[in-house]
Amino acid sequence: MQKIIILDFGSQTTQLIGRRVRELDTFCEIMPYNKFPKDDPDVIGVILSGSPYSVHDPEAFKVDLSQFVGRVPVLGICYGAQFISHTLGGKVEKADSREYGRANLQTVDTTNALFRGFDQNSQVWMSHGDTITAIPDGFEVIGSTKDVTNAAFWCKKPTVNCQLSPVWAVQFHPEVYHTLQGKTLLKNFVVDICGSRQEWSAASFVDSTVAELKSQLGSDRVILGLSGGVDSSVAAVLLNRAIGQNLTCIFVDHGMLRKNEFQQVMDDYRCLGLNVIGVDASEKFFADLAGVTDPEQKRKIIGRDFVEVFNAEAKKITDARWLAQGTIYPDRIESLNITGKVIKSHHNVGGLPKEMHLQLCEPLKWLFKDEVRRVGRQLGMPEHLITRHPFPGPGLAVRILGDITPEKVRILQDADDIYIRGLREYVDTDGETLYNKVWQAGAILLSTVRSVGVMGDERTYEHPVALRAVTSTDAMTADWAHLPYDFMAKVSNEIINKVRGVNRVCYDISSKPPATIEWE
């Protein structure tokens, strides 16, 4: 299959480049800057990402450009552009002031293949401390802003000093939302310049993956741990289509799911024809969490207990040979950064317990979250499962500040239920529900805090609840959702009136970064 290789130099937006390429129905792989697959005949183009480093830093990441230049078209973005210039004889210098934020391409060569369809004065997004003050011999400037003369440049024909053919470089970020014609630029590169046949689609993925699973698994029995979330649910339906009743799913209830969620999800899975075992292990989890207040310790206890409960159930299926997981592509990218340091742990990424003696099957390992949802629709899954908001593996345990008790979980479940139902029921002026407009929402119980209130003629001293809702495309960055005032007033009033133990409702207006989506 045709593919674009994205070499990752450590940029926070590398995944966004990948998602934009996939949106063009083109397969891509994000690889560490020093892991270019030299002998892969399917590579049709290479993109060099940005980086937190300057090209002048002693520890800056470097790649041998001769591995791919001249073979396939190349596009350098931000650091990628600076690295190309610096390596080939241009000049990169520290900018007088950090060039960050919106800028306009006041001069752009729209006859160049990279900028076909571009408007003059098109808005782009800059984010760099260095700037390219001179481009290498053989290159030509094709885009400038008021402050950045060499905002975009290219080399068409090899010369003595330019061994690239062809190569493009831009100092701005076409992958981010604020570059208004960024999708046009990437389409020009991926489709028109690299020649993508745009064969990567949900339908083709389902057909090829089902065939691969049938070949890989044969008549073997497979175990899959379900969470109720989109990823594991789509993985289950995909496997069920390939191997039917040879798939056994295990759904563990740790007692900190949303209100009535365990039974609702079990009913959904059975309607999908899945072979599901439900395990209520809430007593064990509550007992092991008693008195624990540290967020990381909560996560570790829940993770440990989940593995114990899951393994105990899985061992009953004595003829199982495979463990399936709903691992998706961002899980694998985020688990290790390019320096090898763990920056984010995932419940479904890592080694298998040795005593299980199972092989690993990850049918969604190449997909981004939005692609998983498209595959779910292709498989005919119900929309309420496909559009379900992300939910943390530890559940409400990381939405309760302080120690965990069944009573605190009950309070938060009731408040959260009112909030989420309200989002599903409120139809905005454009005919869309607030739930579908929001990436993720939930309530947080501030159980370490009490506030004074008055209900009737009585003084109360109860807990506040904070509501959280964010908009995002990938959870790497997120902005707080601007929910309508009338909706907020109704939900606040209903929570205070109906949920025993709550007398105050707040709304979290923090964005990521600097805050995270979850409080713990």
Side-chain angles (χ1 to χ4, degrees):
M1 179 186 295
Q2 290 182 319
K3 67 177 71 170
I4 298 289
I5 294 296
I6 300 167
L7 293 182
D8 182 14
F9 289 85
S11 170
Q12 293 183 347
T13 61
T14 300
Q15 279 197 46
L16 283 180
I17 303 172
R19 290 186 68 254
R20 298 293 177 257
V21 173
R22 294 284 184 87
E23 288 169 2
L24 296 169
D25 299 325
T26 303
F27 183 66
C28 68
E29 284 189 56
I30 297 173
M31 310 192 76
Y33 69 98
N34 57 354
K35 299 291 184 183
F36 179 75
K38 299 178 184 178
D39 300 320
D40 190 339
D42 294 327
V43 177
I44 60 173
V46 175
I47 298 176
L48 310 183
S49 83
S51 175
Y53 291 120
S54 162
V55 294
H56 299 297
D57 290 341
E59 66 271 35
F61 300 128
K62 298 177 174 62
V63 64
D64 179 2
L65 296 175
S66 66
Q67 296 176 92
F68 43 83
V69 298
R71 272 187 51 198
V72 293
V74 177
L75 172 63
I77 294 174
C78 195
Y79 175 90
Q82 293 169 1
F83 180 78
I84 288 169
S85 181
H86 176 72
T87 303
L88 297 173
K91 185 177 290 187
V92 179
E93 297 181 291
K94 190 172 184 63
D96 293 334
S97 60
R98 180 173 168 82
E99 293 164 343
Y100 180 84
R102 296 174 177 85
N104 289 65
L105 285 178
Q106 295 182 337
T107 304
V108 57
D109 181 1
T110 57
T111 65
N112 188 277
L114 192 67
F115 285 120
R116 273 196 201 107
F118 253 64
D119 300 327
Q120 294 294 336
N121 215 37
S122 185
Q123 177 182 293
V124 297
W125 184 263
M126 296 286 189
S127 180
H128 54 262
D130 289 348
T131 192
I132 299 169
T133 55
I135 60 176
D137 290 344
F139 280 84
E140 175 187 348
V141 175
I142 54 175
S144 304
T145 71
K146 178 182 177 182
D147 299 316
V148 183
T149 300
N150 303 312
F153 51 97
W154 84 310
C155 175
K156 180 179 181 181
K157 297 179 180 180
T159 67
V160 173
N161 296 319
C162 174
Q163 299 302 315
L164 305 180
S165 177
V167 61
W168 285 262
V170 296
Q171 285 206 79
F172 56 88
H173 287 268
E175 71 274 19
V176 303
Y177 172 79
H178 299 91
T179 296
L180 299 185
Q181 291 185 279
K183 289 183 179 179
T184 298
L185 184 150
L186 290 172
K187 180 178 183 295
N188 287 342
F189 180 74
V190 171
V191 179
D192 298 337
I193 293 170
C194 296
S196 168
R197 293 190 292 269
Q198 297 183 280
E199 296 171 330
W200 178 258
S201 66
S204 67
F205 175 83
V206 169
D207 291 343
S208 62
T209 304
V210 168
E212 289 170 8
L213 289 171
K214 286 180 177 179
S215 174
Q216 178 187 25
L217 304 174
S219 59
D220 293 348
R221 187 169 293 279
V222 180
I223 301 171
L224 170 66
L226 289 171
S227 67
V230 178
D231 302 337
S232 66
S233 299
V234 172
V237 175
L238 196 59
L239 279 159
N240 185 58
R241 179 168 292 192
I243 62 173
Q245 291 303 299
N246 280 344
L247 171 68
T248 300
C249 303
I250 300 173
F251 182 29
V252 177
D253 180 9
H254 50 40
M256 287 153 283
L257 299 172
R258 284 184 156 129
K259 187 173 183 178
N260 302 322
E261 184 174 37
F262 181 67
Q263 191 56 52
Q264 291 169 358
V265 171
M266 286 293 292
D267 291 343
D268 281 335
Y269 286 152
R270 286 175 180 137
C271 288
L272 289 169
L274 300 179
N275 177 24
V276 186
I277 298 171
V279 183
D280 182 356
S282 53
E283 286 189 12
K284 172 179 175 58
F285 283 87
F286 280 124
D288 290 348
L289 285 168
V292 177
T293 59
D294 180 72
E296 190 61 23
Q297 194 177 356
K298 289 182 193 176
R299 288 180 176 272
K300 287 179 178 178
I301 290 171
I302 292 171
R304 180 200 68 201
D305 283 5
F306 178 87
V307 170
E308 289 178 5
V309 173
F310 181 86
N311 286 355
E313 199 64 39
K315 286 177 181 177
K316 299 175 184 177
I317 307 169
T318 57
D319 58 343
R321 295 188 59 189
W322 297 83
L323 175 67
Q325 293 182 332
T327 311
I328 63 173
Y329 199 33
D331 292 340
R332 299 191 296 127
I333 298 170
E334 290 177 354
S335 294
L336 288 177
N337 71 7
I338 54 182
T339 62
K341 297 178 181 178
V342 176
I343 57 175
K344 183 178 180 182
S345 58
H346 294 266
H347 67 277
N348 58 350
V349 175
L352 299 175
K354 293 180 180 179
E355 66 273 14
M356 291 188 72
H357 304 293
L358 298 176
Q359 300 177 74
L360 186 60
C361 175
E362 298 174 307
L364 306 180
K365 65 182 180 181
W366 290 112
L367 300 186
F368 288 98
K369 177 72 77 173
D370 51 339
E371 293 177 309
V372 174
R373 290 194 166 105
R374 289 202 293 271
V375 168
R377 292 187 178 96
Q378 183 67 31
L379 291 166
M381 293 174 62
E383 193 67 16
H384 70 272
L385 273 181
I386 296 169
T387 58
R388 176 185 161 96
H389 287 177
F391 189 66
L396 299 180
V398 293
R399 293 182 179 177
I400 296 174
L401 304 193
D403 65 327
I404 308 298
T405 66
E407 174 61 12
K408 290 179 181 178
V409 171
R410 191 275 308 165
I411 292 173
L412 185 54
Q413 283 178 332
D414 287 346
D416 180 83
D417 183 59
I418 291 170
Y419 182 35
I420 298 301
R421 278 194 294 105
L423 289 169
R424 290 186 182 277
E425 293 169 0
Y426 190 101
V427 179
D428 211 351
T429 53
D430 59 1
E432 187 78 62
T433 66
L434 291 180
Y435 186 88
N436 287 342
K437 285 188 166 186
V438 167
W439 169 268
Q440 188 170 347
I444 299 93
L445 179 63
L446 310 185
S447 69
T448 57
V449 178
R450 287 182 179 270
S451 66
V452 174
V454 177
M455 290 189 178
D457 294 324
E458 297 183 5
R459 174 186 181 274
T460 62
Y461 192 50
E462 296 178 329
H463 298 296
V465 161
L467 303 182
R468 180 80 158 133
V470 298
T471 56
S472 181
T473 57
D474 47 35
M476 292 176 63
T477 60
D479 194 12
W480 60 277
H482 296 228
L483 301 179
Y485 288 158
D486 60 331
F487 167 79
M488 297 297 294
K490 181 176 183 296
V491 166
S492 173
N493 187 61
E494 190 173 351
I495 289 174
I496 292 171
N497 285 338
K498 293 184 177 180
V499 181
R500 288 180 292 107
V502 175
N503 68 353
R504 191 178 298 269
V505 174
C506 312
Y507 188 57
D508 182 349
I509 59 169
S510 309
S511 295
K512 176 187 178 182
T516 54
I517 295 177
E518 298 294 341
W519 278 44
E520 290 193 343

